[in-house]
Amino acid sequence: MNEENSAATSESDKMRGGNQKAAALLALLNKTGYNMIQENGQRKFGGPPPGWEGPPPPRGCEVFVGKIPRNIYEDELVPLFERAGKIYELRLMMEFSGENRGFAFVMYTTKEDAQLAIKILNNYEIRPGRFIGVCISLDNCRLFIGAIPREKKKEEILKEMKRITEGVVDVIVCPDATDRTKNRGFAFVEYESHRAAAMARRRLLPGTFQLWGRAVQVDWACPEKEVDAETMRRVKVLYVRNLMISTTEDTIKAEFNKFKPRVVERVKKLRDYAFVHFYNREDAVAAMSVMNGKCIDGASIEVTLAKPVNKESTWKQHLNGHVSPCSENLMEIPSREDSHQKSVGKPASLSLSLNGQHSPSSPELEWYPYPFLPGVKLIPISMYSLKSSYFSSAVMRLDYFCYKNNWLPPEYYLYSTTSQDGKIHLVCKVLIPSIADGSQSCFMSHKLCTTLEDARELAAQMALLHLGKHKCF
């Protein structure tokens, strides 16, 4: 009898809580005049707001909100995010149970309001001890297509992609650095919308489709980092790509100094692209106009303003699966092996280079050795009691991620192949056994490695980047 009474009381409390929440949401709608609908696993508040005329806000007006407590809804989120400006639309991801999924997207009417939201609400304590994360959200409309025949021209690739997928806007094909008559074995396909790109990606998934009789690699390309206009107005560095491997920094400097002597401060060349630093912004802008499309050592170059990058924020946002670093970002030095892909974007799953080469790291993870003095008291602790910022390895981060979600530990499976020179190359597949809701649970890198540690690290990175779009640390 006591158990029945307890169950009845619990059920009654749930109904009362549900009624109170429904009343709070109704009061919000009455107060704001916004509409709210639920479809495809998300609840949309607004989009557009009352009295809105014209097209939706431009790209760069939306922020991603992660680590939202599961019992918080629009009646609390809307007033909080209205502190930064007028909300065009708020999309809260929902479970079938009625709880939220821990993340949302908030679109403002201006980019300035979106940036302000990041500034004032990132790491905001929304509940005692519970901090939300806020970063820019960019709809990715670009796919990476790898393993395409190297003899295919841009026109052929564009025609084929338009034939088999819908909404194709353009194809970006980079010529080989040593043989300009061939491509580099990959291309980037730009679509008219994120939805069109997502549908194309689903159609082209490995094992289900072939191009020109061969299986291709398909993944999301890195979205180009949005930089505010005020920051770009201060940039005095040019990004130059499609250079010949043999072209030297001195040659580049001499060519850019031709239109106006002694305006170039220095040049930094990496493989087939370079950063040209000017003393004055006005000279950089003028040189960009003059030099774009010019030939240097027989190669037609492309010249744009370099985009500054905040390395710390780039790393943190990268693991959330949103904004990823690209080589056009000013002062970011990519690895030699990956530099050819980074010039226009690359698969998000490959953004961190390994094999002892450069990769961005958080300032919190730098080594600071301290002397271990006699008498220092040591306290045993569990690694799972630490914050995720204490882990620099993707393998350790994934293990920590699974533990925090009450999942079984990840399982790694090793595969090998032999290169033409007889060397053994490795790749790992990682399985998350506890994912049983229909989501992807198996992840494998598209890149071969020479050591077991690197193969496991790349597989873990692939898993983290995918899971970061749906779950929060």
Side-chain angles (χ1 to χ4, degrees):
M1 180 64 71
N2 290 337
E3 290 182 359
E4 292 178 359
N5 290 338
S6 177
T9 300
S10 176
E11 189 65 27
S12 177
D13 289 343
K14 287 183 180 179
M15 292 179 61
R16 188 180 302 112
N19 291 336
Q20 290 174 349
K21 185 58 64 178
L25 292 176
L26 183 60
L28 173 68
L29 297 180
N30 290 334
K31 178 182 177 181
T32 61
Y34 281 62
N35 293 321
M36 183 185 292
I37 61 171
Q38 184 162 338
E39 60 181 6
N40 301 325
Q42 60 182 339
R43 198 155 64 194
K44 295 170 63 176
F45 172 84
W52 181 270
E53 296 182 0
R59 197 166 182 258
C61 292
E62 187 176 69
V63 297
F64 169 81
V65 187
K67 297 185 282 187
I68 302 173
R70 298 301 181 97
N71 60 347
I72 286 182
Y73 300 95
E74 292 86 349
D75 58 305
E76 294 183 66
L77 293 174
V78 169
L80 176 63
F81 280 87
E82 280 183 334
R83 296 181 187 180
K86 183 177 179 65
I87 294 175
Y88 176 85
E89 177 185 81
L90 186 150
R91 294 183 291 123
L92 182 62
M93 305 300 117
M94 301 296 294
E95 301 279 13
F96 289 114
S97 63
E99 289 186 328
N100 77 63
R101 295 174 61 190
F103 66 100
F105 297 88
V106 182
M107 181 179 290
Y108 288 92
T109 57
T110 68
K111 295 181 180 181
E112 291 74 21
D113 290 347
Q115 291 297 325
L116 180 59
I118 296 171
K119 183 177 181 179
I120 66 176
L121 295 176
N122 187 35
N123 292 323
Y124 177 84
E125 189 172 13
I126 198 167
R127 287 278 193 275
R130 303 292 299 275
F131 299 85
I132 58 174
V134 182
C135 67
I136 198 69
S137 170
L138 299 177
D139 283 341
N140 200 349
C141 301
R142 182 179 293 179
L143 291 183
F144 167 87
I145 311 294
I148 64 175
R150 295 172 65 88
E151 68 275 6
K152 295 297 179 180
K153 307 297 183 184
K154 175 177 178 175
E155 295 74 17
E156 297 176 89
I157 299 171
L158 179 61
K159 181 179 179 181
E160 185 69 6
M161 295 308 300
K162 284 186 173 181
R163 184 183 70 82
I164 60 178
T165 62
E166 297 181 357
V168 176
V169 175
D170 191 20
V171 169
I172 301 171
V173 181
C174 297
D176 187 89
T178 55
D179 185 352
R180 295 284 166 170
T181 65
K182 296 181 179 180
N183 68 63
R184 296 182 186 174
F186 64 89
F188 296 91
V189 185
E190 191 79 23
Y191 289 86
E192 62 186 11
S193 67
H194 175 75
R195 175 177 173 79
M199 296 299 291
R201 179 174 179 267
R202 181 179 300 179
R203 178 172 172 77
L204 297 171
L205 282 178
T208 63
F209 206 87
Q210 290 188 339
L211 285 175
W212 298 290
R214 65 170 67 181
V216 294
Q217 300 171 359
V218 183
D219 207 338
W220 290 108
C222 274
E224 293 185 31
K225 187 179 186 298
E226 287 285 317
V227 181
D228 62 274
E230 182 181 352
T231 300
M232 289 303 295
R233 280 194 291 267
R234 297 194 298 268
V235 173
K236 53 182 181 179
V237 181
L238 297 182
Y239 169 74
V240 184
R241 66 186 182 95
N242 290 347
L243 292 163
M244 296 295 290
I245 294 292
S246 57
T247 300
T248 65
E249 292 178 351
D250 289 339
T251 298
I252 298 169
K253 186 173 183 179
E255 289 292 329
F256 276 82
N257 271 328
K258 280 184 178 179
F259 90 101
K260 188 177 180 180
R262 295 184 296 278
V263 294
V264 177
E265 177 186 0
R266 58 190 173 91
V267 174
K268 178 63 178 179
K269 182 174 184 284
L270 300 101
R271 194 175 169 84
D272 63 344
Y273 65 93
F275 294 101
V276 182
H277 297 248
F278 287 77
Y279 291 106
N280 299 307
R281 173 179 167 78
E282 293 76 14
D283 292 330
V285 174
M288 177 177 64
S289 177
V290 172
M291 296 298 295
N292 187 39
K294 294 289 185 181
C295 283
I296 297 181
D297 290 343
S300 179
I301 62 173
E302 294 182 22
V303 185
T304 59
L305 285 171
K307 295 182 179 180
V309 62
N310 181 317
K311 288 186 178 180
E312 180 177 358
S313 63
T314 298
W315 168 260
K316 291 178 180 177
Q317 292 174 3
H318 178 66
L319 285 181
N320 282 332
H322 291 278
V323 182
S324 304
C326 299
S327 71
E328 291 173 323
N329 296 333
L330 176 60
M331 299 304 294
E332 183 176 342
I333 310 300
S335 68
R336 293 166 296 172
E337 190 171 338
D338 288 336
S339 60
H340 63 287
Q341 291 187 16
K342 289 185 177 181
S343 61
V344 289
K346 61 172 214 164
S349 54
L350 303 183
S351 294
L352 306 182
S353 54
L354 293 172
N355 292 314
Q357 299 178 31
H358 171 82
S359 63
S361 59
S362 166
E364 300 174 82
L365 301 178
E366 294 179 359
W367 284 93
Y368 291 100
Y370 294 95
F372 181 52
L373 302 175
V376 172
K377 184 178 180 180
L378 297 178
I379 303 173
I381 63 171
S382 166
M383 62 172 277
Y384 300 112
S385 67
L386 299 172
K387 295 181 178 179
S388 60
S389 59
Y390 282 86
F391 304 106
S392 60
S393 161
V395 172
M396 295 298 294
R397 279 179 172 264
L398 182 59
D399 186 78
Y400 176 89
F401 182 89
C402 291
Y403 176 84
K404 289 297 183 180
N405 282 281
N406 296 315
W407 294 347
L408 292 173
E411 299 174 1
Y412 292 87
Y413 298 89
L414 183 65
Y415 301 88
S416 69
T417 185
T418 304
S419 65
Q420 293 181 348
D421 58 3
K423 293 182 179 179
I424 301 296
H425 289 166
L426 307 173
V427 66
C428 262
K429 178 173 69 176
V430 60
L431 173 69
I432 313 297
S434 299
I435 299 181
D437 60 355
S439 301
Q440 182 179 350
S441 60
C442 191
F443 309 92
M444 179 183 285
S445 168
H446 302 310
K447 190 173 181 182
L448 298 173
C449 299
T450 57
T451 68
L452 173 60
E453 290 81 2
D454 287 354
R456 287 168 60 93
E457 188 77 0
L458 274 179
Q461 286 174 14
M462 174 74 82
L464 285 170
L465 292 173
H466 178 86
L467 296 172
K469 299 176 184 177
H470 310 288
K471 306 286 183 181
C472 295
F473 285 99

